């Protein structure tokens, strides 16, 4: 293949990869298709795809894990590799204790730092939670709202800690017991009101009110979880026991 044709293929592959990274065409975990699949999709050589991936990796837009593939974003640090074992070794009540000590502070910081567009997004997420008709959807949008607030706090260390806690939502046991607590306590309307109160306090730039609204919301959830586990006549179980 002539040199200029190889370079052209690489540039074409790079352009198409950049477009792919900006789209919703990736897997849920951010994994890219294989080099072979990308080569066939883009109509370029695998060598061109490999060169383009090297450029994106140097720019910090992708990272590779031996034996697993290529992923969008920056390479996770060593801490993230231990998150799974940390989450597996905890239980629901421990998670709520930590949330009660972290998320009110995140709401306070968000009240000071959130932009107008961020707050508008929060209101949209509150509505999506309320309109969701299944457990998976409610967990998805509820997690998105709480993470939006955490992100708007503007503190990367706080956000990293929040993300560890939020990993619990990926476990089926957590989703099951959360949905049972919602059904038993009929908290849908209450949750909507509490979420609205949190966002309104953030929009009003009132840190104290935002923090207290978040605290009350989490206390309601904690009480529901305690009630449902008590009905089972069991001590709070670890996620492994609930699975």
């Amino acid at each position: 293949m002539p040199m200029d044709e190889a370079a052209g293929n690489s540039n074409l592959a790079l352009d198409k990869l950049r477009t792919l990274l900006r789209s919703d065409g990736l897997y849920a975990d951010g994994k890219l298709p294989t080099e072979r699949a990308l080569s066939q999709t883009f109509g370029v050589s695998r060598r061109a795809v490999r060169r383009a991936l090297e450029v994106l990796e140097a720019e910090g837009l992708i990272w590779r894990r031996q034996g697993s593939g290529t992923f969008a974003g920056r390479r996770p640090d060593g801490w993230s590799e231990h998150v799974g074992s940390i989450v597996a070794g905890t239980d629901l009540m421990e998670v709520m204790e930590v949330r009660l000590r972290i998320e009110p502070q995140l709401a306070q910081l968000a009240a000071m730092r959130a932009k107008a567009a961020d707050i508008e997004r929060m209101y949209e997420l509150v509505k999506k939670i309320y309109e969701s008709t299944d457990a998976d959807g409610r967990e998805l949008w509820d997690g998105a709202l709480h993470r939006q607030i955490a992100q708007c706090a503007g503190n990367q260390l706080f956000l990293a800690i929040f993300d560890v806690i939020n990993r619990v939502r990926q476990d089926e046991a957590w989703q099951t017991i959360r949905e049972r607590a919602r059904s038993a306590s009929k908290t849908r309307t209450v949750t909507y009101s509490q979420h609205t109160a949190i966002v309104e306090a953030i929009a009003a730039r009132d840190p104290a009110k935002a923090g207290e609204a978040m605290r009350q919301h989490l206390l309601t959830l904690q009480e529901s979880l305690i009630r449902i586990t008590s009905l089972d006549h069991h001590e709070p179980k670890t996620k492994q026991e609930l699975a």
Side-chain angles (χ1 to χ4, degrees):
M1 179 181 293
M3 184 64 69
D4 57 343
E5 186 179 349
N9 277 349
S10 296
N11 283 327
L12 177 61
L14 182 59
D15 182 61
K16 288 183 176 295
L17 279 167
R18 291 191 193 281
T19 300
L20 176 63
L21 291 174
R22 291 192 296 266
S23 73
D24 297 325
L26 302 178
Y27 298 114
D29 59 358
K31 186 177 180 179
L32 277 68
T34 64
E35 288 183 3
R36 182 176 183 179
L38 290 169
S39 172
Q40 293 174 345
T41 300
F42 297 160
V44 299
S45 67
R46 290 183 64 177
R47 182 185 183 193
V49 170
R50 195 172 301 115
R51 285 180 170 179
L53 289 172
E54 288 173 1
V55 172
L56 293 174
E57 186 174 21
E59 292 177 357
L61 297 177
I62 63 167
W63 62 281
R64 308 184 198 200
R65 178 187 294 156
Q66 186 68 31
S68 298
T70 303
F71 299 83
R74 292 189 176 276
R75 179 182 297 276
D77 55 28
W79 162 254
S80 63
E81 297 177 2
H82 302 292
V83 169
S85 59
I86 293 171
V87 171
T90 190
D91 61 51
L92 301 176
M93 292 304 112
E94 286 184 351
V95 170
M96 291 310 305
E97 286 178 2
V98 176
R99 290 187 69 182
L100 273 161
R101 281 152 183 80
I102 290 178
E103 291 195 54
Q105 279 66 43
L106 290 172
Q108 289 178 2
L109 291 171
M112 295 186 286
R113 298 171 179 171
K115 296 182 174 69
D118 297 326
I119 295 169
E120 183 178 348
R121 174 64 174 161
M122 290 178 199
Y123 279 120
E124 291 173 358
L125 291 170
V126 169
K127 184 179 179 182
K128 284 186 177 294
I129 297 165
Y130 185 73
E131 292 176 346
S132 293
T133 57
D134 62 281
D136 184 62
R138 279 187 286 269
E139 279 300 306
L140 175 70
W141 294 117
D142 188 87
L145 172 64
H146 283 266
R147 194 181 193 282
Q148 176 76 9
I149 293 169
Q151 192 168 350
C152 289
N155 185 307
Q156 290 302 308
L157 182 55
F158 256 148
L159 184 61
I161 296 170
F162 174 86
D163 281 341
V164 173
I165 301 167
N166 211 35
R167 277 281 300 275
V168 176
R169 291 177 183 273
Q170 299 175 14
D171 187 84
E172 291 182 8
W174 167 260
Q175 182 169 303
T176 299
I177 198 167
R178 276 288 303 270
E179 189 60 18
R180 288 179 60 204
R182 287 192 189 101
S183 299
S185 304
K186 295 180 171 60
T187 59
R188 185 164 175 260
T189 303
V190 173
T191 299
Y192 176 76
S193 298
Q194 291 179 340
H195 280 157
T196 301
I198 294 167
V199 179
E200 286 179 345
I202 291 172
R205 307 299 179 190
D206 189 333
K209 191 172 182 180
E212 180 58 20
M214 180 64 80
R215 191 179 76 86
Q216 289 300 326
H217 170 57
L218 294 175
L219 281 172
T220 299
L221 172 58
Q222 185 183 51
E223 289 168 5
S224 296
L225 292 172
I226 290 172
R227 190 177 303 115
I228 200 66
T229 51
S230 296
L231 288 173
D232 290 338
H233 302 291
H234 288 296
E235 293 296 321
K237 297 178 179 180
T238 66
K239 290 166 66 279
Q240 290 170 316
E241 290 172 328
L242 284 166

